[in-house]
Amino acid sequence: MAQRSEIDKLWNAIEKAGSMDAYIDGQLREHGFLVKRRATDNMSRRELDKYKKELKGEAAERKRVKNTAWQAYKAKHIVHLGDGVYWNDNDDFDRWDLDNAEERAAENELPTLDKPQDLALALGITIPQLRWLAYHRDAATELHYTRFTIPKRDGSDRAIWAPKTLLKKAQYWINDNIVSQLIVHGAAHGFMAGRSILTNATVHTDSKTVLKMDLRNFFPTVTFRRVKGLFRKAGYREQISTLLALLVTEAPREVVEENNKTYFVSLGPRCLPQGAPTSPMITNVLCLQLDRRLTGIAEKYGWRYTRYADDLTFSLPNGPDKEPKLGALMHVVKQIVTDEGFVVHPEKTRVTRKGARQKVTGLVVNDKGAPRVPQKRKRQLRAAIHNLQNGKPLREDETLAQLEGLAAFIYMTDPKLGSSMLADLRNIANKI
């Protein structure tokens, strides 16, 4: 704290002097190190040696004072943000900024962030810490993320990059104070307060046909430039938009071992990481135009539309026979998705008609009743509970936490059954 106070005092003195050079010259003059330049042609050897000694003393003191002033400057300025990231401490405005940026930010009820110091203060960190969190390296020996994998449905591994404590805290602040203030389309149901897989599925009950499409590499498609553009459009200028975009993105990386040292090598541009709390919310905001267009085309053909993260669902309601225009709908949807900077996964498009079991975000939506958990999942949980109550072990691919999650999933659509199963699992857990 004392050191920070000294840096603050030093930087105040530099600002009062008008510039770093003026401050340095003032310090040299005040302490008798500033040497008046004069001609050396008529100097005696003794005078010349003395003059050279004075100049060396001035140079050494200038270097010392400059280094001290530079430390104060770095404590108050970003200076540099790493490989390939443009930054200039003096660029308060940029030609790509909105003309009415501050007005737009006020309309969105966003925090006033005019300078990096404002952002650091809001996040409860120092400028050096902000620079450290936002800094980009193509080959890093340390990251602000912890990497682990979870299995996908197809058996392959999905890499999750979970932010470490300080960065996670910053990302939650950005989520709560900035991203959550921005407009999201009503068709978006993922990671939204008051919306869920249940509200998403409810839209599609009693359908003649259900069309499901998936966006490929959803988070990696949302690059640093797109995220920076989002913050610009929200009402922030160049510097703040750059810092915010760096705080919520990371490059996809490969772990490389060389000479007993671990490197995290960048494989492409920074993008939204799978595992950061900001990623789902940011995609919801970025998909506003996509959701508007897909809702419009769905309504034109008489269909309903929702999106849960990267899952697009369209359904044709039951009713009088009419031309579903399925082929035309799919064609236009692919065009719109491409126009909006995403890609439809060709292997994950599914069409389910009335005679088959129709599932949306894991829930069965056949008929007019509320969406429900498939019977197979309920039987699976009943069997696991029965086995545990009779002293039998869980299967290798099961854990008590997973079973509790499944019970909570059932509770969402069938509170009576779900609460009974949760109670059974808690009783079992208390006995273990």
Side-chain angles (χ1 to χ4, degrees), residues 86-113:
Y86 174 78
W87 183 268
N88 186 323
D89 284 324
N90 297 319
D91 280 354
D92 292 335
F93 296 91
D94 182 84
R95 64 180 180 141
W96 300 112
D97 291 339
L98 294 179
D99 292 335
N100 59 340
E102 288 75 16
E103 292 178 18
R104 179 70 62 84
E107 289 172 3
N108 288 324
E109 299 183 358
L110 302 184
T112 301
L113 302 173

Side-chain angles (χ1 to χ4, degrees), residues 10-74:
L10 174 56
W11 182 248
N12 288 337
I14 294 171
E15 286 190 313
K16 187 176 181 180
S19 69
M20 286 182 61
D21 287 340
Y23 169 79
I24 293 168
D25 285 343
Q27 288 294 299
L28 294 177
R29 187 179 298 105
E30 181 180 339
H31 294 92
F33 284 95
L34 194 62
V35 179
K36 182 178 180 180
R37 268 50 176 180
R38 54 189 188 272
T40 59
D41 295 345
N42 298 319
M43 285 186 181
S44 67
R45 179 174 294 279
R46 178 179 295 179
E47 290 173 327
L48 184 61
D49 288 343
K50 181 181 178 183
Y51 183 57
K52 287 181 179 180
K53 186 176 180 181
E54 290 173 345
L55 290 175
K56 286 182 179 180
E58 178 191 308
E61 182 63 9
R62 181 179 295 276
K63 182 177 180 180
R64 186 193 69 79
V65 176
K66 185 176 182 179
N67 285 340
T68 303
W70 178 243
Q71 295 305 313
Y73 182 89
K74 287 200 300 181

Side-chain angles (χ1 to χ4, degrees), residues 315-329:
S315 63
L316 183 66
N318 264 320
D321 290 339
K322 54 185 175 180
E323 178 60 41
K325 297 183 179 179
L326 177 61
L329 175 65

Side-chain angles (χ1 to χ4, degrees), residues 2-269:
Q3 184 180 6
R4 186 181 300 181
S5 177
E6 289 299 315
I7 289 176
D8 289 343
K9 188 184 300 182
L10 174 56
W11 182 248
N12 288 337
I14 294 171
E15 286 190 313
K16 187 176 181 180
S19 69
M20 286 182 61
D21 287 340
Y23 169 79
I24 293 168
D25 285 343
Q27 288 294 299
L28 294 177
R29 187 179 298 105
E30 181 180 339
H31 294 92
F33 284 95
L34 194 62
V35 179
K36 182 178 180 180
R37 268 50 176 180
R38 54 189 188 272
T40 59
D41 295 345
N42 298 319
M43 285 186 181
S44 67
R45 179 174 294 279
R46 178 179 295 179
E47 290 173 327
L48 184 61
D49 288 343
K50 181 181 178 183
Y51 183 57
K52 287 181 179 180
K53 186 176 180 181
E54 290 173 345
L55 290 175
K56 286 182 179 180
E58 178 191 308
E61 182 63 9
R62 181 179 295 276
K63 182 177 180 180
R64 186 193 69 79
V65 176
K66 185 176 182 179
N67 285 340
T68 303
W70 178 243
Q71 295 305 313
Y73 182 89
K74 287 200 300 181
K76 298 294 182 178
H77 297 80
I78 295 296
V79 183
H80 183 53
L81 286 171
D83 304 331
V85 179
Y86 174 78
W87 183 268
N88 186 323
D89 284 324
N90 297 319
D91 280 354
D92 292 335
F93 296 91
D94 182 84
R95 64 180 180 141
W96 300 112
D97 291 339
L98 294 179
D99 292 335
N100 59 340
E102 288 75 16
E103 292 178 18
R104 179 70 62 84
E107 289 172 3
N108 288 324
E109 299 183 358
L110 302 184
T112 301
L113 302 173
D114 295 327
K115 299 179 180 179
Q117 290 85 347
D118 297 332
L119 179 58
L121 183 63
L123 296 175
I125 58 178
T126 63
I127 286 290
Q129 285 176 315
L130 177 57
R131 179 172 56 242
W132 178 61
L133 289 177
Y135 203 90
H136 174 78
R137 290 182 174 85
D138 286 334
T141 56
E142 182 180 356
L143 292 181
H144 298 293
Y145 291 84
T146 301
R147 182 184 185 276
F148 61 92
T149 61
I150 58 174
K152 295 183 182 179
R153 293 179 187 175
D154 61 8
S156 61
D157 288 334
R158 184 192 303 277
I160 303 296
W161 295 86
K164 295 178 182 177
T165 303
L166 190 60
L167 180 59
K168 183 188 293 186
K169 181 182 176 183
Q171 289 178 345
Y172 273 121
W173 186 91
I174 294 170
N175 245 1
D176 295 342
N177 295 276
I178 299 177
V179 184
S180 64
Q181 299 294 102
L182 305 179
I183 298 174
V184 174
H185 197 274
H189 288 259
F191 314 99
M192 298 286 296
R195 305 184 202 175
S196 64
I197 60 174
L198 177 58
T199 62
N200 183 64
T202 299
V203 175
H204 302 285
T205 57
D206 194 27
S207 298
K208 182 179 296 185
T209 307
V210 173
L211 166 64
K212 295 194 294 183
M213 306 177 84
D214 184 270
L215 301 180
R216 182 163 59 186
N217 297 327
F218 188 46
F219 288 156
T221 304
V222 182
T223 60
F224 167 80
R225 291 181 64 183
R226 295 181 73 175
V227 177
K228 182 177 175 180
L230 179 150
F231 289 120
R232 278 186 187 274
K233 190 175 180 181
Y236 288 123
R237 296 193 179 275
E238 161 70 19
Q239 289 189 341
I240 297 300
S241 296
T242 297
L243 289 167
L244 290 172
L246 287 169
L247 289 172
V248 300
T249 60
E250 179 54 85
R253 295 183 182 270
E254 181 179 3
V255 183
V256 176
E257 300 287 343
E258 185 174 334
N259 297 327
N260 296 321
K261 198 167 186 178
T262 301
Y263 293 91
F264 301 93
V265 181
S266 170
L267 298 177

Side-chain angles (χ1 to χ4, degrees), residues 382 384-392 424-425 427-428 431:
R382 284 194 185 99
I385 292 173
H386 176 76
N387 288 337
L388 287 170
Q389 289 173 334
N390 287 277
K392 295 181 181 179
D424 288 338
L425 288 169
N427 288 334
I428 292 169
K431 293 176 182 179

